[in-house]
Amino acid sequence: MTETTTHTISAEQSRREQELTDRVLASFENTPDDRLKQLMQALTKHLHAFVREVRLTEAEWEKAIEFLTNVGHITDERRQEFILLSDVLGASMQTILVNNPADGDATEATVFGPFFLEDAPEIPLGGDIAGGAPGQPCWVEGTVTDTTGRPIPNARVEVWEADEDGFYDVQYGDDRVAGRAHLYSDEKGRYAFWGLTPTPYPIPHDGPVGAMLAATNRSPVRAAHLHFMVTAPALRTLVTHIFVEGDPQLEIGDSVFGVQDSLIKTFAPQPAGTPTPDGRDLGDQEWARTRFDIVLAPATA
Ligand SMILES: [Fe+2]
């Protein structure tokens, strides 16, 4: 078989290619589960269309198999290269968009990321999530409401973030718990905590996904962000981040396409000595403050 890059194919060639696609589609016709049947047939349709559109060469197909094999080989309990691949292709974010339809003023969702941990410590309102993680202190406050504006008391707010060196606690390989916590909104739906001013960090890029980013001249760096997961009864769980207005990485592009304009927040710098909202003494340290009002959609939406 010759390798070809021409897009001009004969009617007979086109007929043979379509005939194959049709046969594969038909092979799934007796799938008992309707949804599985739909998924497999749509996958077949799009996969064949891709191969035909780009006139995929056999060498390229082998390269693709080798790439996916390498993605599998580097994956273990601590490293999930397939999720990374899904992320950098925007497939994770597209799945989030499909599953979190717009609903009034409901806060937009974004990628979950690999660094959430169950059982992060509980802190009181105004508490500190840093747990020793280095970084500039940042006061974060806001409200949790539903789409009618009703305050949501006792909403569970999970927050987690990288330290100023760009690492999450779990990446240090010891048992530290830092830069993560959960708290509950008060009777007026208000919440507040001390975190760290977020800084950009690269996704793990020493594997096949990193090589793909390098080959396509793409940055592995994520725009600086602070993760949130907010849950309350009868409301849609919100998994999101807030991003830092003015972060240069917003212009370069977030490597996993997680940025939504509505999630970019002002992190106002506070010179050393500026009184803190809760009287905390930060000595000669600069700090920052931001506000993030969270609106949860109804769970049935
Ligand atoms: Fe993150």
Side-chain angles (χ1 to χ4, degrees):
M1 182 172 164
T2 54
E3 292 181 356
T4 175
T5 53
T6 177
H7 288 231
T8 315
I9 56 169
S10 68
E12 172 57 16
Q13 175 65 20
S14 184
R15 188 199 63 75
R16 290 183 191 181
E17 292 174 6
Q18 186 59 48
E19 194 270 333
L20 172 62
T21 303
D22 291 343
R23 266 194 288 142
V24 181
L25 288 172
S27 77
F28 292 113
E29 208 45 51
N30 296 326
T31 305
D33 184 307
D34 284 345
R35 177 64 174 166
L36 180 60
K37 176 175 157 180
Q38 182 190 11
L39 293 175
M40 295 313 299
Q41 290 188 329
L43 178 64
T44 299
K45 202 170 71 179
H46 290 281
L47 186 60
H48 282 234
F50 167 75
V51 171
R52 295 176 68 187
E53 178 190 317
V54 303
R55 311 310 297 167
L56 191 72
T57 69
E58 286 167 305
E60 288 164 344
W61 179 81
E62 278 173 28
K63 188 97 179 160
I65 298 288
E66 185 189 314
F67 174 79
L68 290 172
T69 303
N70 291 338
V71 169
H73 280 164
I74 202 172
T75 296
D76 59 22
E77 308 81 50
R78 299 175 68 93
R79 173 79 176 256
Q80 230 306 352
E81 196 81 354
F82 280 106
I83 291 180
L84 216 50
L85 179 59
S86 165
D87 289 351
V88 302
L89 292 177
S92 302
M93 191 60 203
Q94 193 66 275
T95 305
I96 287 159
L97 288 178
V98 165
N99 286 282
N100 290 270
D103 188 322
D105 295 332
T107 303
E108 291 186 87
T110 188
V111 288
F112 194 53
F115 299 121
F116 174 74
L117 281 188
E118 303 280 351
D119 307 323
E122 181 176 348
I123 56 167
L125 282 168
D128 189 356
I129 76 164
Q136 182 188 68
C138 180
W139 177 257
V140 183
E141 63 186 349
T143 54
V144 183
T145 60
D146 66 14
T147 50
T148 70
R150 186 174 60 95
I152 306 301
N154 212 34
R156 182 177 172 122
V157 180
E158 295 268 1
V159 290
W160 65 106
E161 64 177 324
D163 62 23
E164 68 179 356
D165 298 318
F167 295 107
Y168 288 81
D169 50 3
V170 292
Q171 294 178 283
Y172 283 98
D174 50 25
D175 289 333
R176 76 180 71 181
V177 176
R180 67 178 72 242
H182 71 274
L183 64 160
Y184 294 91
S185 57
D186 71 8
E187 73 283 352
K188 290 182 172 161
R190 297 172 300 195
Y191 75 91
F193 62 90
W194 283 101
L196 303 172
T197 306
T199 54
Y201 67 84
I203 58 170
H205 58 107
D206 56 343
V209 169
M212 189 268 276
L213 292 176
T216 53
N217 201 22
R218 280 181 49 184
S219 167
V221 178
R222 293 226 50 208
H225 60 270
L226 168 59
H227 291 264
F228 279 79
M229 180 164 70
V230 186
T231 48
L235 296 167
R236 189 164 77 196
T237 293
L238 173 68
V239 174
T240 196
H241 320 334
I242 53 174
F243 297 90
V244 180
E245 189 180 69
D247 172 11
Q249 196 64 32
L250 290 172
E251 295 298 320
I252 298 165
D254 180 44
S255 54
V256 306
F257 307 97
V259 180
Q260 308 286 18
D261 286 348
S262 68
L263 300 175
I264 300 172
K265 303 296 174 190
T266 304
F267 282 69
Q270 309 291 313
T274 310
T276 55
D278 61 347
R280 181 182 177 187
D281 182 4
L282 289 169
D284 58 359
Q285 245 186 321
E286 287 180 15
W287 55 286
R289 65 184 302 164
T290 191
R291 181 169 189 92
F292 178 37
D293 292 324
I294 296 161
V295 180
L296 300 180
T300 52

